[in-house]
């Protein structure tokens, strides 16, 4: 039935609307679409505030689109071809892509919209970053930019859809883990942290100088039989955003404007195979795993996949073991590669990881002068103490209005 339905892929980087749907009868197992779509079986469109820029060596084909995160606009990638149940990758390899919470959606181009996942564009390793499995014939992918990080930018470059079953996995070389067994063990825990606890709650402060991120995160997350999350983001200026998920719906709330956005969540499925490898073109691929609880920015601590990918660098080493919040901690020091060093303004970092679960409890990055460039510091945390799932209900006051999408 799926293959009989005509469809068109649209990936939309958006602070804005939903795409369109056109007929197609072409089926493939690997599809690319650059931001300018030249030479690809696809097209692009955008509204407002997206700046075309070229001459950047890290970009695919040397160009990209960029939008400020305090804007309201949309960027769409439209495919004429079709991939059955594809996996969505986005190319992130530009110093100016600094949105810490880019949300990705898929839809049928009409009224059915599903939330796929999110990624921190600021801390993602340079290369192809997997967002998640796109189910059924939902081939309209949106990046929903909430407009809540005025000093950061969202980037739009090439995307791709592919059928993981077509990969010749016997020729894919595992590149995920550090040669040191203890670091590799911590990486595995971080990349699959949600398997190592039932529920988790607490708060942390996160601050990055390069994009102006400065906020306190309060979170309650359940990864058990009925996954869900409630995350409150309080910025330094007092602005409050809130996300809720009951595993079926994803809600974003802007308290200052009394506005909300709600969408269904695409089905979750655990990824298989290497989490980091090189593709047929020798480009790095980092496979992110979807979070059933849809914990939004709380995943910086509760499911720290980006930081697990950092740990593969040869310069990393275990420098000690400690206790935090009455838990055993592994302490690791490392050096950034050239890409992240330039982007984040930091040369070295130190992280404190919960040894049992892979949850990130503290991270500090420093520049060449030893000054702090960024940090994540957990202030309070509790594991497996039980959570009231009623707080996950995606409900908003009746007087609130839906966020406008241009």
């Amino acid at each position: 039935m799926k293959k009989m339905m005509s469809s068109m892929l649209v990936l939309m980087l958006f602070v804005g609307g939903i795409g369109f749907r056109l007929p197609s009868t072409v089926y493939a197992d690997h599809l690319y679409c650059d931001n300018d779509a030249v030479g690809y079986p696809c097209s692009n469109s955008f509204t407002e505030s997206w700046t075309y820029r070229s001459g950047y060596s890290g970009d695919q084909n040397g160009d990209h689109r960029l939008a400020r995160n305090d804007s309201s606009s949309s960027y769409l990638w439209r495919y004429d071809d079709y991939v059955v149940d594809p996996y969505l990758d986005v190319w992130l390899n530009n110093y100016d892509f600094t949105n810490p919470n880019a949300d990705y959606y898929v839809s049928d181009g009409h009224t059915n919209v599903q939330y796929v996942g999110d990624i921190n564009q600021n801390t993602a390793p340079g290369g192809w970053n997997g967002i998640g499995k796109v189910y059924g014939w939902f081939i309209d992918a949106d990046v929903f930019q909430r407009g809540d990080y005025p000093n950061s930018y969202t980037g739009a470059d090439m995307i791709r859809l592919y059928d993981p079953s077509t990969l010749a996995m016997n020729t894919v070389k595992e590149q995920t883990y550090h040669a040191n067994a203890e670091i590799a063990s911590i990486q595995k825990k971080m990349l699959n942290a949600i398997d190592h606890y039932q529920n988790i709650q607490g708060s942390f402060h996160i601050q990055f100088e390069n994009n102006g991120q400065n906020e306190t995160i309060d979170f309650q997350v359940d990864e058990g039989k009925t996954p869900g999350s409630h995350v409150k983001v309080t910025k330094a200026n007092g602005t409050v955003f809130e996300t809720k998920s009951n595993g079926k719906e994803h809600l974003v709330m802007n308290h200052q404007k009394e506005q909300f956005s709600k969408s269904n969540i695409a089905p979750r499925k655990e990824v298989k195979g290497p989490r980091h490898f090189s593709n047929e073109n020798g480009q790095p691929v980092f496979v992110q795993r979807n979070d059933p609880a849809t914990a939004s920015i709380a995943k910086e601590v509760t499911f720290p996949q980006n930081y697990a990918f950092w740990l593969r660098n040869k310069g990393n080493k275990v420098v000690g073991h400690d206790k935090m919040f009455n838990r055993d901690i592994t302490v690791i020091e490392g050096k950034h590669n050239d890409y992240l060093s330039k982007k984040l303004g930091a040369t070295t970092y130190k992280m404190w990881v919960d040894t049992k679960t892979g949850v990130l409890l503290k991270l500090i990055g420093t520049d060449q002068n030893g000054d702090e460039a960024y940090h994540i510091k957990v202030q309070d945390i509790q594991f497996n103490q039980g959570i009231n799932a009623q707080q996950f209900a995606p409900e908003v006051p009746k007087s609130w209005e839906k966020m406008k999408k241009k």
Side-chain angles (χ1 to χ4, degrees):
M1 182 63 183
K2 293 176 184 175
K3 291 190 176 182
M4 294 177 64
M5 303 184 75
S6 62
S7 51
M8 157 189 178
L9 171 78
V10 181
L11 172 57
M12 177 161 28
L13 182 60
F14 116 94
V15 192
I18 302 304
F20 305 91
R21 189 164 171 242
L22 295 177
S24 171
T25 56
V26 180
Y27 302 97
D29 56 26
H30 213 107
L31 294 173
Y32 290 87
C33 186
D34 194 22
N35 69 283
D36 58 10
V38 176
Y40 296 90
C42 59
S43 62
N44 307 128
S45 66
F46 60 92
T47 62
E48 300 184 11
S49 71
W50 288 92
T51 301
Y52 176 82
R53 307 199 312 172
S54 61
Y56 292 79
S57 60
D59 294 338
Q60 293 288 335
N61 298 317
D63 62 359
H64 65 270
R65 293 273 179 179
L66 197 71
R68 286 186 63 92
N69 278 19
D70 58 354
S71 63
S72 179
S73 60
S74 60
Y75 194 92
L76 300 88
W77 291 258
R78 295 189 178 92
Y79 277 96
D80 296 323
D81 291 358
Y82 186 88
V83 177
V84 177
D85 291 344
Y87 195 85
L88 171 64
D89 279 357
V90 297
W91 181 260
L92 302 175
N93 198 35
N94 189 289
Y95 306 120
D96 295 327
F97 292 8
T98 57
N99 184 351
N101 197 190
D103 292 331
Y104 291 76
Y105 296 74
V106 292
S107 89
D108 59 2
H110 295 289
T111 59
N112 199 335
V113 179
Q114 291 187 335
Y115 176 80
V116 178
D118 63 87
I119 193 168
N120 186 333
Q121 289 192 345
N122 193 43
T123 62
W128 288 109
N129 282 266
I131 303 302
K133 185 84 169 178
V134 180
Y135 280 76
W137 56 290
F138 296 99
I139 48 174
D140 210 344
D142 309 324
V143 182
F144 176 57
Q145 178 178 300
R146 295 203 302 262
D148 53 1
Y149 298 100
N151 296 325
S152 69
Y153 296 83
T154 300
D157 200 345
M158 185 181 285
I159 67 163
R160 69 170 187 164
L161 297 181
Y162 68 96
D163 179 357
S165 67
T166 64
L167 293 176
M169 297 308 294
N170 59 329
T171 65
V172 172
K173 182 180 179 181
E174 173 70 78
Q175 298 175 334
T176 310
Y177 303 110
H178 195 281
N180 177 276
E182 187 174 11
I183 295 179
S185 175
I186 291 296
Q187 285 182 278
K188 291 178 182 179
K189 293 286 182 63
M190 296 171 76
L191 288 171
N192 299 285
I194 57 177
D195 293 337
H196 302 298
Y197 59 83
Q198 291 296 308
N199 54 74
I200 187 171
Q201 54 192 310
S203 64
F204 64 91
H205 186 262
I206 181 170
Q207 184 168 356
F208 278 74
E209 296 295 334
N210 73 310
N211 65 357
Q213 184 180 16
N214 184 0
E215 51 202 14
T216 298
I217 315 297
D218 296 285
F219 62 90
Q220 296 180 314
V221 178
D222 195 323
E223 299 288 356
K225 295 181 179 180
T226 55
S229 62
H230 177 205
V231 181
K232 181 181 178 182
V233 180
T234 305
K235 299 185 175 298
N237 63 4
T239 301
V240 176
F241 281 80
E242 201 171 357
T243 65
K244 293 184 178 183
S245 167
N246 59 1
K248 298 179 180 180
E249 291 183 299
H250 176 59
L251 172 70
V252 179
M253 304 170 66
N254 182 329
H255 283 255
Q256 270 58 41
K257 296 182 178 181
E258 295 188 346
Q259 294 179 340
F260 72 94
S261 173
K262 184 188 293 188
S263 60
N264 294 327
I265 297 174
R268 300 316 200 192
K269 186 176 182 180
E270 184 177 349
V271 295
K272 297 181 179 179
R275 302 292 291 277
H276 171 40
F277 59 92
S278 295
N279 67 7
E280 66 280 5
N281 298 317
Q283 298 168 328
V285 179
F286 301 92
V287 182
Q288 298 272 348
R289 178 179 169 185
N290 281 135
D291 175 19
T294 316
S296 186
I297 198 167
K299 293 196 285 73
E300 299 299 291
V301 164
T302 65
F303 197 9
Q305 296 180 87
N306 278 355
Y307 309 114
F309 290 130
W310 290 8
L311 290 181
R312 185 181 181 274
N313 297 348
K314 294 181 179 179
N316 288 290
K317 58 182 179 180
V318 175
V319 295
H321 299 87
D322 205 344
K323 285 278 189 179
M324 295 179 68
F325 306 102
N326 199 33
R327 298 185 66 85
D328 293 329
I329 305 302
T330 301
V331 186
I332 301 173
E333 289 184 353
K335 294 183 179 180
H336 280 300
N337 60 24
D338 291 342
Y339 170 67
L340 284 172
S341 179
K342 181 176 179 179
K343 186 177 193 177
L344 301 178
T347 55
T348 61
Y349 57 84
K350 188 173 184 178
M351 64 175 71
W352 291 254
V353 183
D354 183 74
T355 307
K356 184 177 180 179
T357 65
V359 167
L360 180 66
L361 297 179
K362 190 176 180 180
L363 171 67
I364 297 179
T366 53
D367 63 20
Q368 59 185 0
N369 297 319
D371 296 325
E372 184 178 294
Y374 61 79
H375 74 242
I376 298 175
K377 297 179 180 179
V378 170
Q379 300 165 330
D380 174 62
I381 196 164
Q382 299 176 54
F383 291 82
N384 301 326
Q385 297 299 305
I387 294 176
N388 183 358
Q390 292 182 352
Q391 299 181 69
F392 302 157
E395 299 175 353
V396 294
K398 293 182 179 180
S399 60
W400 285 32
E401 64 179 10
K402 290 185 177 180
M403 293 181 185
K404 296 179 181 179
K405 303 170 184 177
K406 298 181 181 180

